[in-house]
Amino acid sequence: VGDSKDFDEQVKSICPFCGVGCQVSLKVKDGKVKYVDGINGPANEGRLCVKGRFGFDYIHHPHRLTKPLIRREDAPAKGLNVDPANPLTHFREATWEEALDAAANGLGGLKSAHGGASVAGFGSAKCSNEEAYLFQKFIRQGFGHNNVDHCTRLCHASSVAALMENVGSGAVTATFNEIENADVAIVIGANPTENHPVAATFFKQFTKRGGKLIVMDPRGTALKRYAEHMLQFKPGADVSMLNAIMSAIVEEGLYDRQYIEAFTENWEAEKAHLANFAPEKMEEHCGIPAETLRAVARDFATAKAGMIFWGMGVSQHIHGTDNSRCLISLALMCGHVGRPGTGLHPLRGQNNVQGASDAGLIPMFLPDYQDVTDDGVRSAFSEVWGTGDWSSQKGLTVTEILDAVHAGNIKGMYVLGENPAMSDPDVTHARDALASLEHLVVQDIFLTETANFADVILPAAAFYEKTGTVTNTNRQVQMGRPAAPPPGEAREDWQITTDLANRMGLGWTYTHPAEVFAEMKQNMPSLDNITWDRLANEGAVTYPSLSPTDPGQPIVFGDGFPRAEGRAKFTPANVIAPDEVPDTDFPMVMTTGRQLEHWHTGSMTRRSAVLDAVEPEANASLHPATLRRLGVEPGGKVRLVTRRGEITIMARADRAVAENMVFVPFAYVEAAANVLTNPALDPYGKIPEFKFAAVRVEGVIEG
Ligand code: SF4
């Protein structure tokens, strides 16, 4: 931290990491960001976590891509074999003209030879709303298909599926800051002190003023010591635990009859279903005593105002949609939606995963979740785009696209800012798929693991080098601004996609992201009353905004839901076992996630000096008793083996992890957690079961 003499300029922008969307002031000297302060944004009120404060210098890292690259004809076979410090062993530098021609000819050639559905696109939740919108438009308009998706598929797709089904909207019903008006809050399957650290500070403050926090997680999280109740339930037993809590609410007559009657449907079916889940019957299954389940039921149901927050511990299961259905039902039956201090809030992961989803970067929806199979919807977009119709078939999702590559149906891909060679489940399968593509275009800021497999690499600007809007977990649309120029010849993603589109003959004329935003508004009612100028002046507006001066509505659905007759729906959920249960060969449970210091696949944070210094080595967390049983000292090595593969990794002792579990962060390529994960999918959200795989853990004797 310094004072004004330490910098030439300060620029307001948004932290590029998590969905909290903290506003930052970037202090710039000699064209470089020198340090970062938090400023008074609506979500962060001046606060920042360690990533926001110290995770900025990756933008000046020597590994940045500065010139377009084309795979050399004499390059070794495609594989995870490129040194990001020396890519010229596999690629040659090219001019932009040459690289864009190669990309367009490669993808366009596949379209001519095999049809547009032979090409798919992965966009990014790290790019701006305008860039996400252009990316999905490029695939739909350019290839006539809907094979476009992004990492929402790997984080909250099941939450969105359940919210769309039962509430009629995929976004949060209340900002996380509303917790200040709550009496009780449930945090389930989330570890906000590590993954949404600034939101966690609001949760802690809530308990300091007497709010009751109920934490539910198979891992004991740091929020545990603030909790009135800590329910460390058995992995995968979410539905039995939540149904038991709701069953107790019904049995003890604590539900909100008036609310249910006025605002919901299907209550009788839900009520009858819950009769099968008495706490005394479910306690062994979920591992939580019946009296605790009943105490939680009473605390939540009798509170004046209650909120529910959840993370990927809920969503990343083959029953992720059922888990979210239970949370929605719990809030509805207690009338805890639509008032101050109430609401449903899936804590979104990436800084712009809400915005990228809103902008239509998903295979079944156009912008604002408008159904791609609806002829009227497509024709409204065709009119704005000045183009003909395209396929009415829903496209394939992230993991389905990679399966289709293996099946030979998808032959080319355009990957912008995603890293499936690290982030997909059973990543060996994903890497094999990428290697087999006839043409792969990767657009990114670093030579990621995915770029190892590329035919053409397009160097992009980092978030702090570009202009664009992003939407955080709270539905707050905020303005990102450039603080430094992109290095070398790197360019902003919207410019690159526009150039590529024009080489495909699409005739785009955008000269600034503001023009893209104006186009988005034509078919996105969520952006009504939100203009580029407002965002430039005000910094943030929450949608929905009811007038040109309304800062936006932090709480929605107080007077009904965007569903038939304005009613939300109860959808009963049954207990489904995880796809792969432990057995004698693989007797323990592996779960994966993020760590405080590292972001997702590590491409940015492992190139941030402070963050890398704090957490430099791949590690897995196990209970000390498990390590003793294995004969491994903390800091020693363990081998983790699943049906997909094995990794060797440093073991860390952690009492928060149950004795039959191991937790593995997925940021480390040298011990990639996703070599091990199970690709089985939730049938509704198509999200993989990252949170549960049967694993064998062996001690490694180092010689
Ligand atoms: Fe960035 Fe999230 Fe940390 Fe805020 S809480 S500084 S948005 S990583």
Side-chain angles (χ1 to χ4, degrees):
V1 182
D3 59 33
S4 58
K5 69 180 181 320
D6 297 326
F7 53 86
D8 309 324
E9 189 192 2
Q10 46 188 334
V11 177
K12 287 182 185 173
S13 193
I14 312 299
C15 173
F17 294 109
C18 89
V20 170
C22 296
Q23 289 198 4
V24 294
S25 172
L26 305 166
K27 313 298 183 186
V28 183
K29 191 169 179 69
D30 303 327
K32 293 199 165 182
V33 178
K34 291 294 178 190
Y35 66 98
V36 180
D37 277 340
I39 55 175
N40 196 23
N44 63 315
E45 298 177 7
R47 308 167 202 195
L48 290 181
C49 78
V50 66
K51 284 190 290 291
R53 192 167 294 282
F54 297 110
F56 61 87
D57 52 333
Y58 69 89
I59 68 170
H60 305 307
H61 194 279
H63 287 176
R64 281 294 299 276
L65 292 166
T66 58
K67 282 182 188 285
L69 299 172
I70 293 178
R71 181 167 288 275
R72 292 164 60 122
E73 284 183 3
D74 60 351
K78 286 183 180 179
L80 202 58
N81 51 7
V82 187
D83 175 0
N86 185 20
L88 299 184
T89 51
H90 291 62
F91 298 92
R92 65 177 175 82
E93 292 179 348
T95 64
W96 269 106
E97 293 297 303
E98 203 184 353
L100 288 165
D101 282 346
N105 292 339
L107 298 177
L110 291 171
K111 178 185 171 189
S112 306
H114 306 286
S118 65
V119 174
F122 287 175
S124 176
K126 277 265 159 285
C127 288
S128 68
N129 289 323
E130 297 73 38
E131 289 167 337
Y133 174 87
L134 287 187
F135 191 87
Q136 60 86 32
K137 178 176 173 179
F138 174 72
I139 296 293
R140 289 181 161 124
Q141 192 183 39
F143 296 90
H145 223 276
N146 297 296
N147 289 334
V148 60
D149 205 358
H150 76 293
C151 68
T152 191
R153 195 64 44 210
L154 309 178
C155 64
H156 267 304
S158 50
S159 308
V160 172
L163 285 164
M164 292 293 292
E165 173 191 46
N166 297 296
V167 176
S169 161
V172 300
T173 72
T175 63
F176 67 75
N177 313 70
E178 261 310 302
I179 197 170
E180 73 180 41
N181 296 314
D183 301 304
V184 173
I186 292 174
V187 176
I188 175 169
N191 191 4
T193 46
E194 302 222 3
N195 297 326
H196 301 84
V198 166
T201 64
F202 289 86
F203 297 177
K204 292 174 192 169
Q205 278 179 334
F206 154 79
T207 64
K208 294 240 157 87
R209 66 156 182 78
K212 275 190 189 169
L213 183 66
I214 301 166
V215 176
M216 304 174 175
D217 203 294
R219 278 171 79 202
T221 68
L223 272 186
K224 177 178 177 176
R225 67 192 171 96
Y226 297 86
E228 178 87 8
H229 304 284
M230 172 72 212
L231 278 60
Q232 201 164 345
F233 60 97
K234 291 183 184 169
D238 317 53
V239 168
S240 65
M241 178 184 68
L242 294 167
N243 274 353
I245 291 167
M246 289 192 283
S247 178
I249 291 172
V250 173
E251 190 194 314
E252 298 184 22
L254 303 175
Y255 51 95
D256 186 335
R257 289 171 182 78
Q258 276 182 333
Y259 185 88
I260 291 169
E261 202 164 302
F263 292 115
T264 70
E265 63 179 49
N266 211 31
W267 168 243
E268 289 306 323
E270 176 77 34
K271 198 170 146 192
H273 178 73
L274 292 173
N276 303 315
F277 292 89
E280 291 70 21
K281 204 165 143 193
M282 302 317 298
E283 62 181 349
E284 194 181 333
H285 188 271
C286 67
I288 304 296
E291 68 260 30
T292 306
L293 296 167
R294 287 187 181 277
V296 167
R298 288 179 202 124
D299 279 347
F300 191 71
T302 60
K304 282 204 194 76
M307 292 189 78
I308 302 178
F309 299 92
W310 71 96
M312 287 164 228
V314 163
S315 59
Q316 290 177 333
H317 286 281
I318 59 162
H319 49 84
T321 304
D322 281 329
N323 292 347
S324 298
R325 285 169 172 157
C326 289
L327 296 173
I328 294 164
S329 294
L330 177 58
L332 291 175
M333 72 195 291
C334 300
H336 286 330
V337 181
R339 293 180 289 112
T342 68
L344 290 157
H345 192 120
L347 287 155
R348 306 308 303 257
Q350 296 267 13
N351 68 329
N352 198 34
V353 69
Q354 182 65 56
S357 302
D358 296 344
L361 202 54
I362 30 186
M364 55 290 282
F365 295 123
L366 281 149
D368 261 3
Y369 307 93
Q370 298 179 69
D371 188 347
V372 79
T373 67
D374 184 317
D375 294 344
V377 164
R378 282 196 322 287
S379 86
F381 279 89
S382 296
E383 203 169 303
V384 171
W385 294 354
T387 192
D389 198 5
W390 71 96
S391 173
S392 60
Q393 263 184 20
K394 291 177 183 173
L396 300 174
T397 60
V398 164
T399 47
E400 290 173 334
I401 285 171
L402 293 173
D403 287 343
V405 174
H406 276 291
N409 298 327
I410 287 185
K411 299 173 186 299
M413 287 185 67
Y414 177 21
V415 179
L416 190 171
E418 292 240 324
N419 195 3
M422 278 290 286
S423 60
D424 271 43
D426 187 10
V427 81
T428 308
H429 171 91
R431 291 172 185 169
D432 288 348
L434 293 169
S436 73
L437 285 166
E438 289 181 29
H439 195 75
L440 173 61
V441 178
V442 173
Q443 185 170 314
D444 215 310
I445 64 174
F446 292 114
L447 198 139
T448 59
E449 289 74 18
T450 300
N452 276 241
F453 299 90
D455 295 282
V456 180
I457 300 176
L458 305 173
F463 191 73
Y464 284 157
E465 296 160 351
K466 59 188 182 183
T467 305
T469 68
V470 284
T471 307
N472 69 0
T473 189
N474 280 346
R475 295 181 266 105
Q476 284 149 349
V477 188
Q478 308 194 86
M479 181 62 79
R481 300 176 182 87
E489 297 176 22
R491 303 174 68 207
E492 297 190 34
D493 289 290
W494 69 268
Q495 293 174 316
I496 303 171
T497 305
T498 297
D499 280 353
L500 210 43
N502 287 333
R503 276 174 170 71
M504 301 284 298
L506 302 185
W508 292 4
T509 56
Y510 310 108
T511 59
H512 191 274
E515 296 161 12
V516 184
F517 190 82
E519 180 178 312
M520 292 166 70
K521 281 173 60 63
Q522 293 184 54
N523 267 325
M524 290 182 69
S526 65
L527 298 178
D528 285 355
N529 297 309
I530 305 178
T531 62
W532 186 271
D533 287 347
R534 270 195 84 181
L535 292 171
N537 294 331
E538 297 169 35
V541 180
T542 305
Y543 75 77
S545 166
L546 305 183
S547 76
T549 53
D550 174 20
Q553 301 295 306
I555 304 160
V556 291
F557 310 147
D559 52 2
F561 295 87
R563 294 187 76 253
E565 297 179 26
R567 289 175 181 276
K569 183 179 161 198
F570 289 98
T571 298
N574 268 317
V575 174
I576 298 169
D579 180 70
E580 190 178 68
V581 289
D583 55 21
T584 45
D585 291 333
F586 302 99
M588 289 176 61
V589 177
M590 185 191 78
T591 187
T592 65
R594 296 197 296 255
Q595 296 177 289
L596 174 62
E597 294 80 5
H598 285 306
W599 187 254
H600 282 219
T601 64
S603 61
M604 299 191 298
T605 50
R606 296 197 78 193
R607 292 181 174 98
S608 292
V610 171
L611 301 176
D612 190 50
V614 176
E615 198 61 274
E617 190 179 347
N619 56 83
S621 298
L622 295 112
H623 194 279
T626 313
L627 288 179
R628 273 197 300 279
R629 178 170 57 74
L630 293 167
V632 175
E633 293 289 325
K637 298 271 191 222
V638 287
R639 185 179 301 113
L640 310 180
V641 188
T642 70
R643 290 185 175 84
R644 272 71 53 192
E646 64 178 67
I647 62 172
T648 299
I649 192 166
M650 187 252 283
R652 183 172 280 175
D654 185 351
R655 286 182 192 283
V657 179
E659 289 189 31
N660 67 336
M661 285 185 81
V662 52
F663 169 77
V664 193
F666 63 96
Y668 302 93
V669 62
E670 63 274 29
N674 281 320
V675 166
L676 307 174
T677 45
N678 185 352
L681 301 181
D682 171 277
Y684 307 97
K686 304 286 175 76
I687 191 168
E689 193 153 58
F690 287 116
K691 288 290 186 274
F692 199 112
V695 65
R696 182 169 70 246
V697 183
E698 301 165 353
V700 175
I701 298 161
E702 292 178 274

